[in-house]
Amino acid sequence: MELDPDKSVGYQVRLTHRALDRLLSTKLADRGLKTGYWYYLRVLWTEEGMTQKQLSDLINVRENTTVAMILGMEKDGLVKRERHPTDRRKMCVNLTKKGRNLRDELLPLANEINRMAGQGISAADLKTCLRVLGQVQKNLMS
């Protein structure tokens, strides 16, 4: 059974993700940040105080990966961990001032990368692409 890479959703999404990730990595490295931090910062800029488990679920990574990433971010002064107010076994993650302030610097970079990715593609086609990718995700997560 043959699977033409040009007709494989998985292969095309992977190539696209790698290209986007490489560009983002370069821009973050220029600022002394690890690529993995982006995914956590992006979530925490929206809602702070989540548990490590909640972060893992939202980012779709294993909890041990999240623990390692949060420890690195804590060491770099971007987040602080605090005990959950009602369940002392859980740790909640909050941004530091430094982590919060990165939002205004990094979101424009992400917007720039998205603009570059969408060059020469109509707004309608980009909207369709996002809708289709959303459906692909739903199909695979159910």
Side-chain angles (χ1 to χ4, degrees):
M1 192 151 93
E2 192 76 21
L3 180 58
D4 181 353
D6 290 337
K7 296 178 183 171
S8 168
V9 172
Y11 185 80
Q12 293 302 317
V13 167
R14 173 74 175 147
L15 288 180
T16 302
H17 173 262
R18 291 295 302 142
L20 290 165
D21 196 56
R22 268 193 298 275
L23 187 53
L24 178 63
S25 293
T26 300
K27 292 189 177 290
L28 292 174
D30 290 346
R31 288 155 179 82
L33 299 170
K34 295 177 183 170
T35 305
Y37 290 2
W38 167 255
Y39 304 101
Y40 295 89
L41 288 169
R42 189 80 171 94
V43 169
L44 291 168
W45 288 329
T46 304
E47 184 179 344
E48 288 190 57
M50 285 187 215
T51 65
Q52 293 173 167
K53 168 89 169 93
Q54 290 170 313
L55 276 171
S56 295
D57 291 345
L58 282 170
I59 297 169
N60 197 24
V61 297
R62 292 189 176 144
E63 207 168 342
N64 60 339
T65 301
T66 294
V67 170
M69 194 62 63
I70 294 302
L71 287 172
M73 292 175 73
E74 193 172 38
K75 181 181 171 201
D76 289 344
L78 302 175
V79 299
K80 59 185 176 211
R81 294 179 305 147
E82 300 168 344
R83 292 274 172 211
H84 191 280
T86 58
D87 186 344
R88 306 297 291 161
R89 296 169 296 169
K90 296 179 182 177
M91 296 296 287
C92 295
V93 181
N94 290 293
L95 292 166
T96 61
K97 184 177 181 182
K98 180 179 178 181
R100 239 179 255 108
N101 288 344
L102 283 173
R103 184 180 191 276
D104 291 338
E105 181 181 350
L106 298 182
L107 283 181
L109 295 177
N111 283 322
E112 176 189 342
I113 291 169
N114 279 295
R115 276 192 299 276
M116 290 171 65
Q119 286 178 349
I121 303 170
S122 73
D125 282 348
L126 284 173
K127 185 176 180 179
T128 299
C129 177
L130 291 171
R131 182 181 50 76
V132 169
L133 288 172
Q135 185 61 51
V136 168
Q137 290 167 33
K138 285 179 189 172
N139 293 346
L140 296 174
M141 292 181 170
S142 44

